[in-house]
Amino acid sequence: MSKVIVVTSGKGGVGKTTTSASFGTGLAQRGHKTVVIDFDVGLRNLDLIMGCERRVVYDFVNVINNESNLHQTLIKDKRVENLYVLPASQTRDKEALTREGVERVLNELRQSFEYIVCDSPAGIERGALMALYFADEALIVTNPEVSSVRDSDRILGILASRSRRAEQGDEPVKEHLVLARYAPDRANRGDMLSVDDVVEILGIPLLGVIPESQSVLQASNAGVPVILDEQSDAGVAYNDLIDRYLGENRPHRFLTVEKKGFFRRLFRN
């Protein structure tokens, strides 16, 4: 049975698209046929992070308007088997996303894909609400700062009241917390919220902690999901997150300041 998973938050710039790209890539790497949909109509960044921007011919809105079909529009990833991208339109308005059209496309995708990952735009405007409405599960991406956590709490309220599952009285959307851009040394100094603080405030299960890492920016600029950089802390953290999501027992890393031994200090770059 396929699952629709929305990657969402209330605040922009917290790492939703980075998480969507790495989450979809990680699922596909483990043999699950996965599609990642960009719901950010008018901006469109997912294709850049996935490195397929030059291959976009048709987009999500074209499919909704029956101007193209999924076979014409889906972009198959060249690096990872089982991974596809459905890009957003850069030229249309967010009003182009109709509930009936989105539902029809998702139902068609459910016939072929195990996981449908919806990369939500920030905030609570039409595209964001449309992305979360049909969700079976949600990755709530937040940063360890008060404004980001407060906005994520607002999104949790919307999932609980305005998703289709909530409207129909079905089992609630299953929620997972992804804490991105975490720096334990700054948390220790009180410059940002700690992991425990964020978990206590939001009250949902912690799926992954992604450390603050220069490799995220480097991977984005190169058009490569950072999960493929297995030498980076962020890549390791996203791989752990995928294994945890799929039911494996993986301890959380990068929660404390790494202590450098004498030889590491002596020979550091």
Side-chain angles (χ1 to χ4, degrees):
M1 183 178 176
S2 66
K3 289 182 181 178
V4 175
I5 304 165
V6 64
V7 181
T8 183
S9 74
K11 196 170 186 290
V14 299
K16 286 186 301 299
T17 301
T18 294
T19 297
S20 297
S22 285
F23 188 65
T25 300
L27 291 172
Q29 279 183 312
R30 287 152 180 80
H32 301 283
K33 194 172 182 184
T34 303
V35 59
V36 188
I37 307 175
D38 191 345
F39 271 79
D40 203 355
V41 174
L43 292 178
R44 197 173 87 189
N45 288 315
L46 178 66
D47 57 310
L48 290 171
I49 290 181
M50 301 288 285
C52 62
E53 70 277 6
R54 296 182 180 180
R55 299 169 59 202
V56 175
V57 178
Y58 297 106
D59 57 55
F60 191 13
V61 174
N62 290 137
V63 181
I64 287 174
N65 291 340
N66 292 309
E67 296 162 351
S68 67
N69 58 42
L70 283 174
H71 179 73
Q72 294 171 304
T73 309
L74 287 172
I75 300 172
K76 189 178 189 303
D77 192 87
K78 291 183 176 181
R79 293 164 299 222
V80 180
E81 193 68 25
N82 299 311
L83 180 61
Y84 294 78
V85 175
L86 182 54
S89 171
Q90 273 188 308
T91 59
R92 305 292 182 98
D93 188 87
K94 296 183 190 300
E95 298 301 313
L97 294 179
T98 64
R99 184 172 292 185
E100 297 76 16
V102 171
E103 182 174 22
R104 176 175 55 80
V105 174
L106 290 177
N107 286 341
E108 189 173 346
L109 290 169
R110 282 182 184 273
Q111 297 173 26
S112 303
F113 290 90
E114 290 181 70
Y115 292 103
I116 302 165
V117 179
C118 302
D119 180 27
S120 171
I124 53 174
E125 43 74 40
R126 186 178 183 86
L129 294 176
M130 200 68 69
L132 66 79
Y133 181 77
F134 295 100
D136 300 311
E137 301 190 24
L139 302 190
I140 310 298
V141 183
T142 192
N143 293 157
E145 57 182 61
V146 173
S147 62
S148 179
V149 174
R150 182 182 64 181
D151 289 348
S152 292
D153 190 52
R154 176 82 188 279
I155 293 296
L156 290 173
I158 292 172
L159 283 166
S161 62
R162 296 174 65 178
S163 66
R164 183 168 66 174
R165 284 175 171 266
E167 287 183 359
Q168 296 181 348
D170 294 336
E171 186 176 336
V173 175
K174 187 175 181 180
E175 298 156 343
H176 310 271
L177 174 60
V178 179
L179 182 58
R181 295 181 178 170
Y182 188 68
D185 56 335
R186 294 176 60 196
N188 289 345
R189 295 196 304 267
D191 295 338
M192 62 171 54
L193 298 174
S194 70
V195 174
D196 290 341
D197 290 335
V198 178
V199 171
E200 182 178 354
I201 293 168
L202 294 180
I204 60 175
L206 180 65
L207 182 63
V209 176
I210 313 301
E212 199 167 40
S213 174
Q214 189 66 26
S215 62
V216 173
L217 179 60
Q218 293 168 349
S220 295
N221 287 338
V224 179
V226 72
I227 194 172
L228 295 177
D229 181 4
E230 297 181 3
Q231 302 303 311
S232 71
D233 288 352
V236 168
Y238 275 118
N239 273 295
D240 284 350
L241 181 154
I242 295 294
D243 291 338
R244 239 176 256 121
Y245 176 80
L246 294 174
E248 295 187 33
N249 185 16
R250 289 280 185 274
H252 290 282
R253 307 190 229 190
F254 314 113
L255 304 189
T256 58
V257 179
E258 182 181 350
K259 294 181 179 179
K260 295 184 179 179
F262 173 76
F263 288 105
R264 185 160 182 180
R265 291 198 303 270
L266 188 64
F267 297 107
R268 72 179 185 272
N269 294 329

